[in-house]
Amino acid sequence: MKKNKTKEGEIFLQLLKNRGLSFTRQRKIIFEHIIKNHDHFEVKHIIEALQKRKLRVSRATVYRTLAHLEDCRLIRKMDLGHGHSHFEHILGYKHHEHLCCEKCGKIVEFGDSILEKRIKKILELNLFNKTNHNVRILGICKNCQK
Amino acid sequence: MKKNKTKEGEIFLQLLKNRGLSFTRQRKIIFEHIIKNHDHFEVKHIIEALQKRKLRVSRATVYRTLAHLEDCRLIRKMDLGHGHSHFEHILGYKHHEHLCCEKCGKIVEFGDSILEKRIKKILELNLFNKTNHNVRILGICKNCQK
DNA sequence: TTATAAATGAGACTGAGTCTCAATATCATA
DNA sequence: TATGATATTGAGACTCAGTCTCATTTATAA
């Protein structure tokens, strides 16, 4: 199986190696598809997109591969309150949080150092790990306020 | 059907009246059970507790009644990242947010005016409604950090 | 009392995600 | 290159929360 020269590729291959796992056809397909598309994504979209390209990979394998990609911190699983998981890339992206509209599902990414500072304080006060957190704010966006 | 004299009772009866609905046996059972227990709760727990007390109410009716109680702002539905909804009382309780441990599910309520102020600013900057929001912070609690 | 409308319960259904297991693929090494 | 041990896959069964349907029951207003 041809090696992948990107930084992401190295990280993924390293994780597989450390775990004694192989870079199979399916893992390659899923990995490359995700790395190519630098957006928020959902499992359903991955499966549909691969089907369109006639690259048959089972649902179970997609879930299994996403879990590996999460483990090596290439992607992050998020619960944005839609009843299913969303994922986003981490590598090369600055830490940020998500603001979502409860009505239409609109997602806004934002970074805010004042908020982050206060969150850390709150985590500390409650004896939670300060470095590991994620914040989700639900609200109503402009369009949905009418 | 006997009237309920509490403030919560008045609010619920008023909502039902406004909607042309009646205070049925089932609604009474569910309402009184919830009002009596001032805690976070889950649908499953409500159903189990009522079954134990031999008060048979169907799952569908529990969900329907909770929706009414939410509509009249006696309770609030929350997604704490457990894969199912949690509810909490609102009436008589100060606004607060939730901090949850991603590993063990521990829930901590907290109120923090600095955080709230900053959240409002963020909502404003992103053209979201300032008064209607809820924040969920996921992290790792002390016990789970080991 | 009766017509009209609302309410209920049972269970079918949905959709995300997990699990199982037989068949297949991969890898290190002989 | 062949082999055996191990990992991997796909198909579909399964779970679980939540929703929906619809026939039957209950409440309300006149």
Side-chain angles (χ1 to χ4, degrees):
Chain A
M1 201 61 76
K2 197 170 56 182
K3 282 217 176 162
N4 194 304
K5 297 289 177 45
T6 63
K7 177 143 193 186
E8 289 89 348
E10 278 171 32
I11 291 171
F12 188 36
L13 285 171
Q14 192 57 51
L15 174 101
L16 293 175
K17 198 176 165 190
N18 291 344
R19 294 186 172 182
L21 307 178
S22 33
F23 194 40
T24 60
R25 187 184 69 86
Q26 288 87 341
R27 287 182 181 144
K28 191 169 193 287
I29 288 171
I30 297 165
F31 169 76
E32 292 185 346
H33 179 86
I34 285 170
I35 290 308
K36 195 165 58 192
N37 299 283
H38 276 266
D39 286 324
H40 283 177
F41 61 88
E42 305 172 21
V43 173
K44 207 175 59 177
H45 296 160
I46 298 288
I47 292 170
E48 284 168 2
L50 294 181
Q51 271 173 351
K52 260 189 204 153
R53 296 170 52 205
K54 310 283 181 201
L55 301 168
R56 191 77 50 80
V57 178
S58 75
R59 196 165 29 121
T61 297
V62 171
Y63 277 104
R64 290 187 278 232
T65 304
L66 289 173
H68 288 310
L69 292 172
E70 235 194 308
D71 288 348
C72 60
R73 300 183 167 275
L74 287 175
I75 63 175
R76 166 159 85 133
K77 191 199 283 192
M78 304 174 295
D79 166 12
L80 299 179
H82 294 201
H84 61 264
S85 296
H86 282 243
F87 291 84
E88 68 178 3
H89 292 255
I90 298 180
L91 191 71
Y93 290 81
K94 254 179 67 183
H95 179 77
H96 60 265
E97 309 297 356
H98 295 90
L99 172 58
C100 311
C101 177
E102 282 187 284
K103 302 278 183 203
C104 69
K106 180 181 176 183
I107 302 169
V108 179
E109 285 186 4
F110 69 89
D112 188 289
S113 59
I114 297 174
L115 183 85
E116 292 298 330
K117 205 172 149 192
R118 195 59 195 170
I119 297 279
K120 283 195 175 156
K121 189 74 186 169
I122 289 165
L123 289 164
E124 194 178 345
L125 288 170
N126 291 288
L127 306 175
F128 272 58
N129 183 321
K130 274 198 292 181
T131 57
N132 199 328
H133 69 271
N134 89 69
V135 181
R136 185 194 69 191
I137 305 175
L138 297 183
I140 311 288
C141 78
K142 196 184 179 184
N143 274 333
C144 295
Q145 284 173 42
K146 290 158 192 169
Chain B
M1 201 62 75
K2 196 170 57 182
K3 284 217 174 161
N4 194 304
K5 296 291 177 44
T6 63
K7 178 143 192 187
E8 289 89 348
E10 277 170 34
I11 292 172
F12 187 37
L13 285 171
Q14 192 58 50
L15 174 102
L16 293 175
K17 197 175 165 189
N18 291 345
R19 295 185 170 180
L21 307 178
S22 34
F23 193 42
T24 61
R25 186 184 68 88
Q26 288 87 341
R27 286 182 181 145
K28 190 169 192 287
I29 288 171
I30 297 164
F31 169 77
E32 291 185 347
H33 179 85
I34 286 170
I35 290 307
K36 194 166 56 191
N37 299 283
H38 276 267
D39 285 324
H40 282 177
F41 61 88
E42 306 172 20
V43 173
K44 208 175 59 177
H45 296 161
I46 298 290
I47 292 171
E48 284 167 3
L50 293 181
Q51 270 172 353
K52 259 187 204 154
R53 295 170 52 205
K54 310 282 180 201
L55 301 168
R56 191 77 51 81
V57 179
S58 74
R59 194 164 31 121
T61 297
V62 171
Y63 278 104
R64 290 186 279 234
T65 303
L66 288 174
H68 289 308
L69 292 171
E70 233 193 309
D71 289 346
C72 61
R73 300 183 167 276
L74 287 175
I75 63 175
R76 165 159 88 131
K77 191 200 282 192
M78 305 175 294
D79 166 11
L80 299 178
H82 293 202
H84 59 265
S85 297
H86 283 242
F87 292 84
E88 68 178 2
H89 292 253
I90 297 179
L91 191 72
Y93 289 82
K94 252 178 69 182
H95 178 77
H96 60 265
E97 310 297 356
H98 295 89
L99 173 57
C100 311
C101 177
E102 282 188 281
K103 302 278 183 205
C104 68
K106 180 181 174 184
I107 301 169
V108 179
E109 287 187 3
F110 69 90
D112 187 291
S113 60
I114 297 173
L115 184 84
E116 292 298 330
K117 204 171 148 192
R118 194 60 195 169
I119 296 280
K120 283 195 175 154
K121 189 73 186 172
I122 289 165
L123 290 164
E124 194 178 345
L125 289 169
N126 290 287
L127 306 175
F128 271 58
N129 184 321
K130 276 199 293 181
T131 56
N132 198 327
H133 69 272
N134 88 70
V135 180
R136 185 194 71 191
I137 305 175
L138 296 183
I140 312 287
C141 80
K142 195 184 180 183
N143 274 334
C144 295
Q145 283 172 43
K146 291 161 193 166

